[in-house]
Amino acid sequence: MEKFPLKGTGNISSSNNLSISSAATNHPLSGDHPSYQSVGSKPGKGSPASSAERHITTTTSLTTAPGTVGAVPVYEADEDGMIDITPGNGGLTNPNYSYSSYSANGGRQDGVGAPSSAANSSAPSITTTAGASSNGGASIGGGEGPGGMSSPTHTRFGRDFHHSDHEDTLTVSFSGKMEGISFAGMTDTSDDIPGIGQYEDFHTIDWQRDIARDRMRHRYIVKKRQDSFWDLLKGAHDAWSGWVCVLLVGLFTGCVAGVIDIGASWMTDLKFGICPQAFWLNREQCCWSSNETSFDSGNCSQWYAWSEIFTSSREGFGAYVISYFFYIMWAMLFALLAASLVRMFAPYACGSGIPEIKTILSGFIIRSYLGKWTLIIKSVGIMLSVSAGLSLGKEGPMVHIASCIGNILSYLFPKYGRNEAKKREILSAAAAAGVSVAFGAPIGGVLFSLEEVSYYFPLKTLWRSFFCALIAAFILRSINPFGNEHSVLFYVEYNKPWIFFELVPFIGLGIIGGIIATLFIKANLWWCRFRKYSKLGQYPVTEVLIVTFITAVIAYPNPYTRMNTSELIYLLFSQCGISNQDPLCDYNRNFTDVNSAIEIAAAGPGVYKAVWLLILALAMKLIMTIFTFGMKVPCGLFIPSLALGAITGRIVGIAMEQLAYNYPKIWIFSGECSTGDDCITPGLYAMVGAAAVLGGVTRMTVSLVVIMFELTGGVRYIVPLMAAAMASKWVGDALGRQGIYDAHIALNGYPFLDSKDEFQHTTLAADVMQPKRNETLAVITQDSMTVDDIETLLKETEHNGYPVVVSKENQYLVGFVLRRDLNLALANARRIIDGITGQSLVIFTSAQPVQNLGPSPLKLKKILDMAPITVTDQTPMETVVDMFRKLGLRQTLVTHNGRLLGVITKKDVLRHVKQMDNEDPNTVLFN
């Protein structure tokens, strides 16, 4: 039998031992990768709460004597309403229309919540006035009596509606007129097979299935609210649980962000010195208690540099060497701790996390990526990594940390914890909170989650994300880790409007930003690919130490690379005033009147020296960021990108300022610079340049502009920011299609189908489906395969699901069953049901099989998806790709005139897209 890759390469044995394919095992994020010690994770507890459906009963308008058949014929039908092409279909007149009967034992026919025996004392009896007898129980191994035809049920799964004690009936006359209507409730119990409805590691979720389960659960809760005050409370709890969950996510995210900011600030200053009176204070806090009015480059008498402790001097060659040594030593120590913690306890804590968060929010399962160990190690590791002076930031990892918090807290609410599709609504809100606390930009965080991260973003998720980001920003502001009155990272206050002509250099900065970003992305991808496929990947801690050592050695001599990157960006954004003593502000100005406007002046020697140092800092930061991003430590990309752009922008701004000083009368300045005031603001150019590079690296537009003006408080400069962001995106898209996050998703082989891309090829579903024409299709028949046959099929194939057909000869589609559910059902049946042997028939219908002398049959209709998404073989692939993107499909079945031909999985679609784009289709590892 030819294999076709229905769902990746995961394999589950009948004993329920799980193993991941070699592709997953060798992945750099896998716990089994030789670079890491595997971190165990517990499987998801339970399965999503069973869902409620409406139930309709019918009574005929004719009354006959009990046990006799009246004038209206009563037909026997399969309860599942499956299409049976074979003769002797019980007199079913229209096999293309689904009918179902009802369980006399009151249990759901899918077995959800039903005991293994057929007895259920609380069940109501269902009678029809046409004299049909009620059905027997439909539990595993239970027998059934002959069934009367009932109204059709509309459900995706092999789960029919059932009656409860308090249901009313819907009376339908033969003329079709409805005389009264009411809906039945459902039992809100879990599946009797543990684990049904959950997913394996490195598998894609079925959005439609999970959303349908939640809708049924919600219907049941709404119906039950009228029964008692307790049910009313439960309904209210279900309604507000989403808001409570995002409230908790915002609270915890704000607290964690405050701790990270304070810890990173303290450890960064520890490289330069210590506060002997209170070692837990950073340099700024240590100097708060000082009575001095001015400090030399931020130092005060309470703060001791390391050279001062050992040589009692801050100046001189010896003091410089000691400070240099301690700077390198602390950097190496912090980097070693960060890399070791990641390797030993949480391999998934490395990197930015945003590529994986995007993939997870698109419906992919990566177990432990959002677990408690990852949260703890990422929080500690990002403080250590930033303090080590590496060219990275903590803002990207804050999105990962917030998503971990959202994932952990979602398990407090089964509505979200047990339903993977619903959980992603909480994760989208958490991602917004992550950006909110990273930059102090709550609105930008919501837009970032909408534009860059989230795959499914309904309106209610927008509101909850807004609320979550608001709470997180409020908590961080209350903690006040920056020690000022602003909650934003780089608050600036420019008092000069920009000149219309300045749009030209702003757009020029956008073009330069797009070029720098493209160079960075291509070089970083080359290095990450080299690391992945060479021996270097086997020594992650050594690589971190080498990069840290080189960074520290190069960074210390240059004051602009020695300082914290956030401080550098703030310095570049700032205006030159009276109190600013940095060489960047060494202009030939004479500050005689404090109240007068700052005049435009010639640049002094300090400015030219600073520009050369900034050019060196630009080259050093660009090169070191290429080698740093992707290492096995937590590392973000926002701050390094902002720094690269801010340096470029400040240099361009100084050049424009000197042009205006030397030629104030030329037409391009429109007379704005002829008054002698400082008409050009170099800090504004730094801000625009920062937005340009960050936009080119990430390909953000709307959210980037909002983040930038929230970040700086410069609302009046939205137009320059928009112009630079669009120019940067256009240049980046022209030179390379993908942003850094999408490029890393492709590098890691994640099954991410970008909703922003377009499929422009003219292929058909028949060209993509597996298996190809004239090859054997692995299927399960609805009532003719034994337990041994099923287990043999599971051993011989690695597909993650199997179509169920009428028979081998008549391959008309009945439904679809997942490999995991099949394994769990077989293991559960062997454990709790007597009489199940290898020769027991496996039945996917509700009809009673012909009695024989063999062992009891095993009925598994409950795990059958009776409404799988199907397309014909002539469906254009453009339509199929749109279905996968917009419906979040896991797979779709391909038919021709009703007959099953093959299957298309998300992995098949991704490989086909890569093949059409002349790329290697084998880079798609998972499914």
Side-chain angles (χ1 to χ4, degrees):
M1 182 181 293
E2 292 290 327
K3 297 181 181 180
F4 63 99
L6 185 62
K7 291 295 298 175
T9 53
N11 188 12
I12 311 171
S13 67
S14 2
S15 62
N16 207 16
N17 291 327
L18 311 181
S19 66
I20 300 173
S21 68
S22 59
T25 304
N26 291 327
H27 190 267
L29 288 182
S30 169
D32 297 325
H33 191 274
S35 300
Y36 292 122
Q37 174 181 334
S38 177
V39 179
S41 63
K42 295 181 181 178
K45 295 182 180 179
S47 58
S50 56
S51 309
E53 294 175 349
R54 295 172 182 171
H55 185 66
I56 301 173
T57 64
T58 62
T59 58
T60 66
S61 59
L62 300 180
T63 306
T64 60
T68 64
V69 178
V72 180
V74 177
Y75 300 108
E76 292 185 0
D78 286 350
E79 279 187 305
D80 53 0
M82 295 181 182
I83 303 172
D84 195 349
I85 310 301
T86 55
N89 195 23
L92 182 60
T93 55
N94 185 0
N96 294 317
Y97 199 71
S98 299
Y99 293 88
S100 75
S101 313
Y102 310 108
S103 303
N105 69 343
R108 289 170 53 174
Q109 289 181 345
D110 58 359
V112 175
S116 57
S117 64
N120 190 340
S121 58
S122 64
S125 60
I126 314 300
T127 5
T128 60
T129 55
S133 61
S134 61
N135 287 356
S139 58
I140 296 180
E144 288 182 344
M149 185 177 74
S150 64
S151 63
T153 59
H154 304 282
T155 171
R156 177 174 179 183
F157 305 100
R159 306 179 173 198
D160 299 326
F161 307 129
H162 80 292
H163 282 54
S164 63
D165 295 332
H166 48 73
E167 79 176 301
D168 299 318
T169 59
L170 165 65
T171 306
V172 184
S173 66
F174 275 107
S175 62
K177 178 183 178 183
M178 291 192 180
E179 299 174 1
I181 185 165
S182 165
F183 298 113
M186 290 188 66
T187 53
D188 187 23
T189 53
S190 300
D191 291 335
D192 58 351
I193 301 177
I196 292 290
Q198 298 299 306
Y199 300 95
E200 295 302 336
D201 206 2
F202 297 111
H203 283 189
T204 304
I205 72 170
D206 190 332
W207 286 85
Q208 296 301 304
R209 175 184 180 182
D210 284 359
I211 291 172
R213 291 163 69 100
D214 184 70
R215 282 200 202 103
M216 292 189 287
R217 182 199 58 77
H218 181 68
R219 286 194 205 110
Y220 168 72
I221 289 174
V222 170
K223 175 68 178 72
K224 290 281 285 181
R225 275 193 311 202
Q226 304 168 0
D227 293 355
S228 68
F229 180 71
W230 177 246
D231 287 323
L232 184 65
L233 277 181
K234 287 200 291 187
H237 171 72
D238 184 74
W240 71 51
S241 61
W243 292 101
V244 174
C245 189
V246 296
L247 170 67
L248 293 175
V249 171
L251 288 171
F252 280 94
T253 302
C255 293
V256 171
V259 171
I260 290 173
D261 286 337
I262 293 169
S265 172
W266 175 71
M267 285 193 286
T268 300
D269 287 343
L270 197 61
K271 291 186 300 183
F272 301 99
I274 195 169
C275 192
Q277 289 127 343
F279 70 90
W280 57 87
L281 297 178
N282 63 19
R283 180 163 51 187
E284 184 182 5
Q285 294 163 342
C286 185
C287 292
W288 284 348
S289 60
S290 174
N291 295 323
E292 298 167 65
T293 55
S294 63
F295 309 134
D296 178 22
S297 65
N299 293 325
C300 58
S301 58
Q302 261 84 357
W303 177 262
Y304 284 80
W306 292 112
S307 59
E308 202 172 357
I309 292 174
F310 287 93
T311 65
S312 302
S313 171
R314 293 190 182 186
E315 306 297 332
F317 179 75
Y320 184 86
V321 170
I322 289 176
S323 298
Y324 203 161
F325 171 76
F326 271 92
Y327 182 89
I328 296 172
M329 186 198 73
W330 281 111
M332 296 285 286
L333 178 63
F334 291 150
L336 176 64
L337 275 174
S340 300
L341 286 173
V342 167
R343 175 164 185 169
M344 287 189 291
F345 297 105
Y348 288 147
C350 66
S352 162
I354 292 180
E356 286 75 19
I357 297 298
K358 283 186 71 170
T359 310
I360 288 170
L361 286 176
S362 76
F364 192 55
I365 301 288
I366 307 179
R367 296 274 179 235
S368 300
Y369 199 83
L370 302 176
K372 58 181 180 299
W373 274 110
T374 305
L375 169 63
I376 295 168
I377 300 303
K378 188 107 180 183
S379 302
V380 175
I382 193 61
M383 288 189 280
L384 293 165
S385 299
V386 170
S387 306
L390 288 166
S391 185
L392 48 82
K394 60 179 182 293
E395 282 63 31
M398 278 305 306
V399 176
H400 186 187
I401 290 168
S403 299
C404 289
I405 294 171
N407 177 65
I408 293 166
L409 291 177
S410 69
Y411 286 101
L412 299 177
F413 305 88
K415 173 182 178 180
Y416 297 101
R418 293 184 177 183
N419 191 310
E420 293 291 345
K422 292 291 291 179
K423 185 191 293 182
R424 272 142 184 80
E425 295 177 17
I426 302 297
L427 296 181
S428 292
V435 175
S436 172
V437 295
F439 293 112
I443 301 174
V446 175
L447 292 175
F448 174 80
S449 180
L450 170 62
E451 179 184 4
E452 185 65 21
V453 179
S454 296
Y455 201 83
Y456 173 68
F457 205 81
L459 197 58
K460 63 182 176 182
T461 303
L462 178 70
W463 301 334
R464 287 177 183 162
S465 299
F466 183 81
F467 179 66
C468 189
L470 165 70
I471 295 297
F474 172 75
I475 295 297
L476 187 67
R477 179 70 186 88
S478 303
I479 295 173
N480 194 13
F482 305 119
N484 56 32
E485 71 274 15
H486 305 295
S487 60
V488 298
L489 206 54
F490 317 112
Y491 185 79
V492 294
E493 217 163 353
Y494 305 138
N495 49 18
K496 288 289 180 183
W498 52 280
I499 304 169
F500 182 76
F501 175 77
E502 287 184 287
L503 275 179
V504 174
F506 290 151
I507 293 173
L509 276 175
I511 294 171
I512 295 170
I515 293 170
I516 291 175
T518 305
L519 286 173
F520 167 75
I521 291 172
K522 290 185 179 297
N524 180 252
L525 279 181
W526 173 83
W527 178 249
C528 288
R529 203 172 283 113
F530 172 77
R531 177 194 292 130
K532 185 176 180 180
Y533 297 111
S534 69
K535 286 189 175 181
L536 181 64
Q538 300 174 19
Y539 305 100
V541 178
T542 306
E543 181 194 5
V544 169
L545 290 177
I546 291 172
V547 172
T548 306
F549 179 77
I550 295 172
T551 303
V553 168
I554 297 175
Y556 190 82
N558 188 336
Y560 295 117
T561 52
R562 183 193 314 168
M563 69 172 63
N564 187 7
T565 311
S566 297
E567 293 177 17
L568 172 63
I569 296 171
Y570 181 70
L571 173 67
L572 294 170
F573 282 4
S574 300
Q575 287 193 97
C576 287
I578 298 173
S579 60
N580 200 324
Q581 302 296 320
D582 192 85
L584 268 175
C585 295
D586 181 22
Y587 289 92
N588 298 324
R589 290 192 181 109
N590 183 17
F591 292 111
T592 54
D593 186 359
V594 176
N595 296 319
S596 66
I598 299 175
E599 61 181 4
I600 193 165
V607 173
Y608 292 107
K609 180 184 177 184
V611 166
W612 282 110
L613 289 174
L614 284 176
I615 292 173
L616 290 173
L618 176 67
M620 178 261 180
K621 283 196 170 292
L622 177 60
I623 293 169
M624 295 317 299
T625 308
I626 288 169
F627 291 101
T628 303
F629 188 70
M631 287 197 314
K632 302 306 184 218
V633 290
C635 51
L637 201 57
F638 280 24
I639 290 295
S641 302
L642 289 173
L644 292 173
I647 293 171
T648 308
R650 186 76 184 207
I651 294 170
V652 172
I654 291 171
M656 286 296 297
E657 185 185 43
Q658 292 307 300
L659 181 67
Y661 171 74
N662 292 313
Y663 306 99
K665 305 286 187 186
I666 58 177
W667 64 271
I668 61 173
F669 296 115
S670 309
E672 297 275 352
C673 297
S674 59
T675 60
D677 289 346
D678 193 1
C679 59
I680 303 294
T681 309
L684 173 60
Y685 284 79
M687 189 170 86
V688 172
V693 174
L694 183 57
V697 169
T698 62
R699 299 292 198 275
M700 293 191 297
T701 50
V702 181
S703 56
L704 171 69
V705 173
V706 175
I707 286 173
M708 288 306 298
F709 81 70
E710 279 192 283
L711 196 61
T712 58
V715 184
R716 63 161 57 173
Y717 304 109
I718 289 179
V719 173
L721 289 171
M722 290 175 70
M726 281 312 303
S728 172
K729 179 173 171 56
W730 284 335
V731 171
D733 288 342
L735 298 177
R737 288 188 314 163
Q738 295 176 316
I740 187 68
Y741 299 134
D742 292 332
H744 274 264
I745 286 172
L747 178 67
N748 292 330
Y750 297 136
F752 181 75
L753 203 53
D754 196 344
S755 56
K756 296 187 283 288
D757 290 343
E758 292 183 5
F759 185 84
Q760 299 173 335
H761 309 291
T762 56
T763 49
L764 301 176
D767 303 325
V768 182
M769 70 178 188
Q770 299 288 341
K772 301 301 182 187
R773 292 186 183 276
N774 303 320
E775 295 180 7
T776 307
L777 176 64
V779 294
I780 295 174
T781 59
Q782 65 176 356
D783 56 6
S784 60
M785 291 181 72
T786 64
V787 171
D788 283 345
D789 294 337
I790 300 286
E791 290 181 342
T792 301
L793 180 66
L794 290 170
K795 288 176 183 174
E796 290 180 351
T797 60
E798 293 182 340
H799 316 320
N800 288 330
Y802 300 89
V804 177
V805 296
V806 173
S807 65
K808 294 282 188 183
E809 296 75 27
N810 294 323
Q811 293 205 357
Y812 288 90
L813 183 63
V814 172
F816 189 82
V817 62
L818 296 177
R819 179 191 190 94
R820 173 189 166 86
D821 292 355
L822 202 54
N823 268 309
L824 291 172
L826 291 177
N828 185 71
R830 286 188 180 276
R831 188 173 65 253
I832 66 171
I833 301 178
D834 295 331
I836 297 297
T837 68
Q839 299 306 311
S840 298
L841 280 178
V842 179
I843 308 296
F844 288 94
T845 73
S846 297
Q848 180 67 15
V850 179
Q851 292 294 329
N852 54 27
L853 300 177
S856 302
L858 174 60
K859 305 196 76 173
L860 295 183
K861 182 193 167 188
K862 70 166 101 11
I863 66 171
L864 182 67
D865 180 357
M866 295 180 61
I869 304 294
T870 59
V871 296
T872 68
D873 55 340
Q874 296 303 305
T875 306
M877 273 307 294
E878 184 178 3
T879 304
V880 175
V881 172
D882 267 352
M883 289 171 65
F884 272 91
R885 282 177 181 151
K886 295 172 182 175
L887 295 178
L889 299 185
R890 195 180 191 191
Q891 71 278 315
T892 182
L893 306 178
V894 184
T895 60
H896 178 71
N897 293 340
R899 285 179 174 272
L900 179 67
L901 289 184
V903 185
I904 299 177
T905 68
K906 195 173 183 180
K907 188 173 185 177
D908 296 328
V909 172
L910 287 162
R911 284 181 162 170
H912 180 68
V913 169
K914 284 192 174 291
Q915 204 166 3
M916 291 291 101
D917 293 340
N918 297 319
E919 297 177 20
D920 182 12
N922 294 321
T923 55
V924 182
L925 300 179
F926 308 109
N927 193 19

